[in-house]
Amino acid sequence: MSNQADKLKSLVASNGRAKNTHFIAITSGKGGVGKSTISANLANILANNGYKVALFDADIGLANLDVILNVRASKNLLHVLKGECSLKDVLIQIKPNLMLIPGESGDEILKFNNQFLYERFLDEASALDNLDFLIIDTGAGIGGNTHMFLDAADEVIVVTVPDPAAITDAYAVIKVTSKIKDNMLMVFNMVKTEKEAVRIFENIQKVARANIGSKLKLELLGYLSDDKNVSRSIKQRTLFTQESEFSISSGEMKDIASRLLYRLERKVLDTTDNKSFKGFFKRLIEQF
């Protein structure tokens, strides 16, 4: 992991005058499959390996990363957009290299259209342009707000569990998102074995090829076992990759992060415009 991390950081640092931020959207077809837990622990793994990471709670309607991380968010992005505080006032430093950008449990955040305050927010957002990763914890399902975040992200990770209803909903997300993304990643949570994860993924992949077409590239990023350390960390509001660093699930989470880093290493020289937090949020605004 460390060799891949060092190699990627050196490539990013040499890639032009400004560092590009990688925008990773994590989504699911339904709630309760561990999407937010995976978002938080992936961010933690990356931060532990020296990357500057921000977690953006974009689960409009059910923002809960502050609960998972056991911190109190008194203000969020809506307060910034209303001009009631500055962006730096809502940022919560979780640990070195890891911060939380609290979301709003309601859809008003994407309906607020004061152009002057938007412009002020975008000016302030340049302070976050030194991020290596923005991990976006989106809402579950295929609603309009979630669709906007998936469209603006570089990579989309779909999380599901080995439950028929969850798998059906995950496929629905894949099908809808395939209209805007040619590549998607999948993570399976609470599986009994690697064989189970691979079997379910191959079934989804087969159905996708038959109904969506060969243009879509679906890739298995990894899986997490049904581990008591994970369920305990959720109850205790801790990160299992921090409290149970050498558990099976922590190792599996590190494997997921390693595969993501390797994927980005292959893509890192494909530079595009607006690879910054400010550029990302501006794209969201322009979509609305």
Side-chain angles (χ1 to χ4, degrees):
M1 170 89 180
S2 59
N3 289 338
Q4 291 176 338
D6 291 342
K7 189 174 180 181
L8 178 58
K9 280 191 283 188
S10 65
L11 282 169
V12 172
S14 62
N15 189 21
R17 291 178 297 173
K19 180 193 297 183
N20 283 343
T21 302
H22 298 283
F23 303 98
I24 314 298
I26 301 182
T27 192
S28 63
K30 61 178 293 186
V33 300
K35 169 181 58 63
S36 296
T37 297
I38 288 172
S39 298
N41 281 279
L42 174 60
N44 186 56
I45 291 289
L46 293 170
N48 285 347
N49 281 272
Y51 294 99
K52 293 182 179 179
V53 185
L55 263 170
F56 179 22
D57 199 341
D59 191 348
I60 307 301
L62 193 62
N64 67 343
L65 277 177
D66 55 333
V67 176
I68 289 175
L69 295 167
N70 199 22
V71 295
R72 185 174 181 272
S74 58
K75 296 183 183 298
N76 55 54
L77 276 183
L78 184 58
H79 294 93
V80 181
L81 295 174
K82 285 183 174 181
E84 297 174 3
C85 63
S86 67
L87 178 59
K88 66 180 181 180
D89 293 329
V90 307
L91 301 178
I92 301 175
Q93 195 73 39
I94 304 300
K95 59 186 291 183
N97 292 331
L98 179 60
M99 69 177 67
L100 171 66
I101 306 172
E104 160 68 14
S105 295
D107 60 6
E108 187 181 359
I109 194 169
L110 291 178
K111 293 181 178 178
F112 193 75
N113 58 3
N114 185 306
Q115 188 62 35
F116 171 76
L117 292 175
Y118 262 144
E119 290 174 359
R120 196 186 78 171
F121 169 78
L122 291 175
D123 287 339
E124 293 183 8
S126 61
L128 292 176
D129 285 351
N130 67 337
L131 291 173
D132 293 304
F133 288 92
L134 181 69
I135 306 295
I136 308 153
D137 182 27
T138 76
I142 53 178
N145 291 337
T146 296
H147 192 79
M148 289 168 57
F149 287 111
L150 299 183
D151 190 17
D154 299 321
E155 301 285 350
V156 174
I157 300 174
V158 180
V159 177
T160 191
V161 296
D163 168 78
I167 293 169
T168 299
D169 289 342
Y171 175 74
V173 168
I174 292 168
K175 187 174 182 179
V176 171
T177 309
S178 68
K179 297 176 182 178
I180 55 173
K181 297 289 182 184
D182 292 334
N183 296 275
M184 273 177 275
L185 306 168
M186 291 199 73
V187 170
F188 288 85
N189 191 20
M190 295 184 282
V191 298
K192 295 177 182 178
T193 63
E194 178 182 7
K195 186 176 180 180
E196 180 183 44
V198 171
R199 175 180 58 80
I200 298 173
F201 171 74
E202 288 178 346
N203 287 339
I204 294 174
Q205 191 177 48
K206 182 178 179 180
V207 173
R209 283 174 180 165
N211 294 279
I212 300 174
S214 59
K215 183 180 179 182
L216 173 65
K217 304 301 180 184
L218 199 58
E219 182 179 333
L220 178 60
L221 189 62
Y223 66 93
L224 291 178
S225 299
D226 190 359
D227 185 353
K228 62 181 180 181
N229 289 299
V230 177
S231 55
R232 183 172 63 243
S233 72
I234 294 171
K235 292 177 182 177
Q236 296 177 347
R237 298 186 182 181
T238 59
L239 298 175
F240 68 85
T241 50
Q242 196 70 32
E243 297 301 315
S244 305
E245 185 179 357
F246 302 105
S247 66
I248 292 174
S249 290
S250 289
E252 292 165 346
M253 195 75 241
K254 290 174 184 177
D255 289 341
I256 290 170
S258 291
R259 293 187 191 104
L260 180 63
L261 288 172
Y262 178 69
R263 178 182 175 85
L264 293 174
E265 181 181 317
R266 291 179 295 170
K267 297 175 64 176
V268 74
L269 296 181
D270 298 331
T271 57
T272 56
D273 294 331
N274 292 327
K275 300 292 291 181
S276 64
F277 180 81
K278 177 179 178 179
F280 171 80
F281 209 91
K282 188 174 182 180
R283 292 198 300 274
L284 286 178
I285 294 170
E286 288 172 349
Q287 285 185 65
F288 185 73

